[in-house]
Amino acid sequence: MPQEISLTIDNTQVNVPEGTTILQAALNAGIDIPHLCYDPAWGLPPTSSCRLCLVELEAAGSLVPSCSHPAAAGMVVRTDTEKLRQTRRMVIELLLSDHPHDCLTCDKAGKCDLQKYAYQLGVKQPSFPVDPIPIEPVQDGPAIVYDRSKCILCGRCVQICQNLQISEAIDYLGRGFDTRISLPPGQSREQSVCTECGNCIDVCPTGAMSYAAAEGAGREWELETVPTICPYCGCGCTILMNIRKNRVVQITSHPDLGINKGLLCVKGRFGIDFISHAERLTAPLIRRDGKLVPATWDQALDLVAQRLLTIKNQFGPDAIAGLASAKCTNEENYIFQKFIRAVIGTNNVDHCARLCHASTVVGLARAFGSGAMTNSIEDFEVTDCIFVIGSNTTECHPIIGSAIKRAAVQRNAPLIVADPRAIELTEFSTIHMQQKGGTDVALINAMMNVILAEDLADKQFIAERTEDFDQLCKAVEPYTPEFAEKITSVPAADIIRAARIYAQAPAASIVYSMGITQHTTGTDNVLSLANLAMLTGNLGKPGAGVNPLRGQNNVQGACDLAALPNVYPGYQKVDNPDLQAKFEKAWAAKLSPKPGLTVVEIINAAAQGKLKAIYIMGENPMLSDPDVNHVEKALKNLDFLVVQDIFLSETAQLADVVLPATAFAEKDGTFTNTERRVQMLRAGLEPPGQSRLDWDILCDLARRMGYPVSYDHVSQIQDEIASLTPIYGGITYDRLTHQSLQWPCPDADHPGTPYLHKGRFTRGLGKFHPVEFIPAKELPDQDYPFLLSTGRILEHFHTGTMSRRSEVLDELVSVGAIEINPADADRLAIADGQNVRVASRRGQIEIAARLTDRVAPATVFLAFHYREAPANRLTIAALDPIAKIPEFKVCAVSIQPA
Amino acid sequence: MTVATRLANAGDLASLRQKILAGRKSTKIAISVCAGTGCRAQGSMELFEEFQRELQEQNLTDVEVRATGCHGFCEQGPLVVIFPRKIFYRGVKVKDVPRIVEKTIRNNEVVDSLLFKDPATKKKCLLENEVPFYAKQQRIVFRNNGKIDPTQIDDYIAADGYAALAKVLTKMSAEQVIEQVSQAGLRGRGGGGFPTGRKWDICRAQPGDEKYVICNGDEGDPGAFMDRSIMEGDPNSVLEGMTIGAYAIGASRAYIYVRAEYPLAVTNLSIALEQSRSLGLLGENILGSDFSFDVEIVRGAGAFVCGEETALIASVQGDIGSPQQRPPYPAQAGLWGKPTNINNVETWANVPVIIDKGSKWFAGMGTEHSKGTKVFSLVGKVLNTGLVEVPMGTTLREIVYDIGGGIPKKRKFKAVQTGGPSGGCIPESLLDLPVDFEKLTEAGGMMGSGGLIVMDERTCMVDVAKYFLAFLVDESCGKCSPCREGVMQMHSILCRIVQGEGREGDIELLEQLAAYVKESSLCQLGGTAPNPVLSTLRHFRNEYEAHIKDKKCPAGVCTALVEFEVDEELCKGCGLCMRDCPTEAVIGEKKQPHKIDVELCIKCGVCYEDCPFDAVIAK
């Protein structure tokens, strides 16, 4: 602990810990010192460049910048003398001497720090000729505009880009009066490393950095600011919707808010405009004579109620299935599964978690007892080592990606990356192990082999907290690094080094995502990682853990609230009679003890005619599921398909009834992010047309089907969840209005759980599972010589329903491309940008080729966002036998110039 | 080089020195050709080759031709000195070579026409130290410049080089070294004048094993070139000084930051590094001691601000060369965040002599608070220009008149600008000022880079201030607002004053801005940037007032405020001005007084400069 020192600021005695700056000491004491280039809220290192925060030191008689000058014992500081006021006026006058005086029309007016201080300091008549730099604003990408004439060169944008975002995309260019902020000279934004995250806009104290589309759309005093949660990935960033006339004008953020502490990525900041897209559904649609035509709610809901009841009566409740949504709120998912279970009477409910982290839920539950991220995002600030395997974090979870980069760059925490592609994180990594797709078990087993051979295991942890260790030892014994090298093609020396670094770190964190889960051996992969963490005692403490990054904003919540076929909310098993009785009582309905079908099984059952009706809420299996040709056949084979969505998705186009739902910006409720954090969503907009809240639609439908259910407000649903779900027991609407909570949170006094398994695993002892390497289901051969891996890119999301309806995101990346190694392209005479035909045993697509070393020879990578070139026409519906997750990451394809 | 085997201890070094000296007869004839950048620009390398060719042709194989570092009297280059007599030839051309070889080398005769003629006494000087330019100098830093071949470490060793290092490593503790340097009273020659011993002590006292030493060879003042000359002419003296300093501080790595515009300095330093490494004077266990140390050269891209310590450190790290707010000081958190000690070239070059000859000897020169010598680059309106090393406390008058030979064309002295672009102008009334750190600052100037620019009566002091501010506007890094915006505004006010558009209140506004910029800037570039304005306002305020109130430029420089006229009584009608006038504005008959057609005159001032009789008057 630093020593406490005492100093005098403006005749007030102030006590602060040694090392505190004068500015911070003054702010603590309620003394405001004007400051422009430094904003304490962001925690960026002070540059001391604006000189507005100068204060007088009595002893030295000199002026020092309070933002950086350390407070010292006995120091006497004056912050508000006539001399200082004069100096500060001069700072502002000089800055205004080449700044356009266009506050009347400037978008920043009212929120501009320069304007604020000019007013506070009474700078009226400039002493210098007003001579703005006659330079037009620069717009290098679709979103960010830089107006140099308004730039005061405070450097906050450079700082956030370099120190928080770790992009180093922009810097000062030029010298003296010619200094400006710029991308590297001669580089376009596309060539540069700028990800268009726009964090520079939020830190800019003037109107120099702005969002192009927000120009003229409203100013500070006209805007209502509503904090809510980003609807894209599982990071769960807090965003601020700036709303005017029922339209989100701009998304901003604040360093004090949310897990993102003010940082956003390009999707969160610029990708929200889809909510006001012209294609939003505004009225229910009913298929008449093969066409979807508008109908009233009564017509639509009566029709759904009648058809579902008919099918239930004729074929039994198990002939009906529901797909819930990782995009919808916890409350909506809760109501959805309650509807399927209590009103329909089946457990046939699942959602897209099946396609991303089913193997996590199963694997981690088996090893530890809880199938969720063990630690918190904040832990990346303290971890001693990060092992990222199968996660392209900077593109798929950008805010966590930045946190990992900060750990590597600023704290020199070793970063081990295992990925078949040379993803961005490899530029920051200590070691990059470029394993062949689908060989993770061999790689992880070999790391454990090294750890055991070199006596690096945490013996005490193993002895006290785990079971079946001897089985693990036996299983990994044959996996010497040399043996694994043959399978994975990762040099044995790298495996040894990685194992040592990971094992020797006091607290090491494993981060993984779909590169691990989306395999026929997905559960095995997850169990291997669980083994590795337990072997080294990396559980139940800060900075450690096994950390699956969840892909959707609320995929964690949808799982928690039982949009799964085998559990009730809070992972309470449906085949447990006590729990069945508990829920039958609570829901006043007879429930089925039989676990239901999973996503791919639902599709297969539909194709086979066993399933007659599907109710889909906010999902788009026509693009998201493997082998979509098969999916299309299956859905067309149904008697009745209901889709509840905000757009007429590829799936909705096949529906018999389409129900217009609300987007995240229009509703209250909660999302649970990847680190089990339940966060409040706040409605800022009125829903368009006749669209209705998802839970409201479902309750109405239930009533029409004879099940009396109604809620006045989403908080009533939350209360019901809390009463039935132990891990959500203490999570209530009132608490969430001023905080977020990480489950398990069993009661109203519980503060939430930042990391799991402290002292004891959820299941008691951690269980080692011996895992053998099994090759992927379909490997390249003569006919299909390339290994195809699918995934996401930064600028788009999932099936593109949202992101491809965002102007900025669509302009950034408007067409898909398949990544192919230049050596292969050369052999096949394929040029960069040329269209190629990609074929698998299941289908084929045509798409442009992108030549890049990111992929190894004989492998190709394709994002699955594009309806015009659906990657999932190619993928295989081979399933992990336990988790039933499809093998999106490995299948065999051929490539020909188109 | 005679040997390339590693010296295992101090004894080996002494033996090597004896061996080198034994091989050199003191009576041997040697032709030393100045190969400093100034003389090279005037063709000294061709001269060097020509000597070699001529000697070979004449089979004079025992005569040595040596390319040395800068002699300082660059204006008279190329310079050649013939040893052992030390005959001093100036302005030597390739065509003079056969004559020198024939007369001086073969027959020991002097080529009279190549000797320096003192413009004051009209007397010819045979030897270098008879030349008034050299007579009053005391060469400590420049002890070897002009004598040794900088690319031969043997030459340096023969001149007692590395004896100080050997002494330090064998006989002195780190504390004793610091004590010695402190007692000598050596202060930073980079301009700040911070006591070097104390600086080392602070860095030594910092916790941590990883510390750095940096040599600042950025020399951003365009008018100063003493550091360049030392790096080019005696690189080993810098390396030796740095090694001693690193030993005292506890550093094992160092960087020399040299501006890329100094290619010869980089070349000669690189050669010196290579040679001293191969002798074990750098690297692991130097001279068999426990002390290991090595040096790397980093080339700067020529930004004035990179002479500032924190900006220099940023530049060495590969970051943008802009300064950081202190604290933390480089001694606390410098290069890569580690304690770092930076001294400039001249400071480092002083260190070996201090160790060698002792602190008492060094402190015996100079004034109360400024000890030793200082090298100045003497330029401007003065007869003899070049590098001048004098003891601290020498008066400006001695430098300008005795060494510099006074003002050409019998014009009146007006001011001497000291310390580089952000220095100040000192008027005639203060010519008897003994030069040291404090006195210069008190007079409104500064030691700074050691630049001395002499100005005569035809210099407009407002224009001078504008000129230096233009440089500073250009060189401001742009980071902090007072320097970026404030100096710019000061410059634009000066521009309007010289344009005749000065306003009532401009002087006060300048003073206000100057005080603000000086006090509020982040680094010393901004902190000193107002000096040209403040010192000229202090000593030549009437010139500002004449520009603003009377719309006149008393020195006749500011074209917008001047009209040229011919004094018919003084004009001899020589026609020189008529010949040079670009617009044919001068009219008149030969041997009759001329006239200037005001309509045609573009006020370029050619006639004003040309006139041998000062008959053209600026009004």
Side-chain angles (χ1 to χ4, degrees), chain A residues 46-52 54 61-65 68-70 83 86-88 90-92 94-98 127-129 151-154 171-179, chain B residues 301-305 320 322-329 473-482 484-489 492-493 496 503 509 512-513 516-517 519-523:
Chain A
T47 59
S48 311
S49 61
C50 76
R51 319 307 279 179
L52 194 63
L54 290 174
S62 57
L63 306 185
V64 297
S68 63
H69 203 93
K83 180 180 179 179
Q86 265 183 28
T87 303
R88 288 176 191 149
M90 191 65 102
V91 172
I92 300 297
L94 284 169
L95 289 174
L96 288 174
S97 69
D98 54 318
S127 305
F128 311 103
C151 178
I152 58 167
L153 294 170
C154 66
D171 209 331
Y172 296 98
L173 183 68
R175 194 159 77 183
F177 203 68
D178 190 39
T179 310
Chain B
F304 184 62
V305 74
I320 290 176
S322 68
Q324 302 294 315
Q325 179 69 40
R326 317 172 200 211
Y329 294 90
V473 164
D474 213 36
E475 293 293 340
S476 164
C477 78
K479 182 174 179 176
C480 78
S481 67
R484 181 182 73 240
E485 310 268 350
V487 181
M488 181 73 166
Q489 287 297 342
S492 67
I493 293 169
R496 74 174 179 240
R503 306 166 194 162
L509 192 53
Q512 205 188 336
L513 270 171
Y516 161 73
V517 173
E519 223 170 6
S520 308
S521 290
L522 192 153
C523 81

Side-chain angles (χ1 to χ4, degrees), chain A residues 376-454:
Chain A
S376 296
I377 294 170
E378 205 167 53
D379 280 23
F380 294 116
E381 312 292 337
V382 297
T383 183
D384 302 301
C385 170
I386 303 171
F387 175 28
V388 179
I389 180 164
S391 160
N392 184 7
T393 325
T394 56
E395 293 203 55
C396 300
H397 299 87
I399 299 306
I400 295 175
S402 287
I404 291 174
K405 288 196 278 183
R406 284 198 297 277
V409 172
Q410 293 171 349
R411 296 195 297 108
N412 295 319
L415 172 61
I416 303 163
V417 176
D419 202 293
R421 289 195 300 153
I423 52 171
E424 186 195 344
L425 276 183
T426 60
E427 291 166 30
F428 300 84
S429 65
T430 317
I431 305 173
H432 174 208
M433 298 190 282
Q434 195 162 8
Q435 80 274 37
K436 278 188 194 153
T439 64
D440 304 273
V441 166
L443 181 70
I444 302 159
N445 273 353
M447 285 175 71
M448 290 192 280
N449 177 295
V450 173
I451 290 167
L452 287 168
E454 300 193 1

Side-chain angles (χ1 to χ4, degrees), chain A residues 167-291:
Chain A
S167 278
E168 303 200 10
I170 52 170
D171 209 331
Y172 296 98
L173 183 68
R175 194 159 77 183
F177 203 68
D178 190 39
T179 310
R180 64 245 186 230
I181 305 301
S182 173
L183 294 166
Q187 272 188 18
S188 67
R189 194 209 65 85
E190 281 169 323
Q191 296 165 317
S192 82
V193 295
C194 174
T195 61
E196 202 89 351
C197 68
N199 290 317
C200 46
I201 296 176
D202 262 350
V203 289
C204 183
T206 72
M209 292 277 183
S210 64
Y211 172 34
E215 193 187 336
R219 292 189 284 185
E220 180 69 0
W221 57 88
E222 302 168 284
L223 300 171
E224 185 199 355
T225 307
V226 178
T228 194
I229 305 300
C230 174
Y232 280 105
C233 76
C235 288
C237 298
T238 298
I239 58 176
L240 295 171
M241 297 188 287
N242 291 249
I243 298 165
R244 181 167 173 251
K245 294 187 178 167
N246 204 41
R247 200 171 84 79
V248 175
V249 164
Q250 184 172 11
I251 297 294
T252 56
S253 59
H254 192 279
D256 291 343
L257 292 180
I259 61 98
N260 46 319
K261 295 181 180 152
L263 287 185
L264 290 176
C265 76
V266 62
K267 292 191 290 287
R269 189 178 298 279
F270 301 124
I272 304 300
D273 48 342
F274 71 87
I275 52 176
S276 44
H277 195 277
E279 288 170 16
R280 277 291 297 272
L281 293 172
T282 54
L285 304 172
I286 292 177
R287 189 170 296 278
R288 284 210 180 106
D289 306 326
K291 276 187 182 161

Side-chain angles (χ1 to χ4, degrees), chain A residues 259 373-383 400 403 509 511 541-547 549 673-677 742-743 752-756:
Chain A
I259 61 98
M373 182 164 165
T374 62
N375 287 53
S376 296
I377 294 170
E378 205 167 53
D379 280 23
F380 294 116
E381 312 292 337
V382 297
T383 183
I400 295 175
S509 167
V511 174
K541 61 186 180 186
V546 179
N547 299 298
L549 303 182
N673 80 346
T674 186
E675 51 164 3
R676 299 168 280 105
R677 185 179 297 278
Q742 283 174 285
W743 67 255
T753 309
Y755 58 95
L756 301 175

Side-chain angles (χ1 to χ4, degrees), chain A residues 759-797:
Chain A
R760 182 185 179 278
F761 283 98
T762 310
R763 72 181 289 280
L765 290 175
K767 185 174 166 64
F768 283 107
H769 290 79
V771 181
E772 287 292 339
F773 166 69
I774 302 167
K777 182 81 178 175
E778 183 185 76
L779 287 169
D781 54 23
Q782 223 168 7
D783 297 335
Y784 297 97
F786 286 91
L787 188 156
L788 169 72
S789 194
T790 66
R792 292 178 181 169
I793 62 167
L794 170 70
E795 294 83 359
H796 283 297
F797 191 75

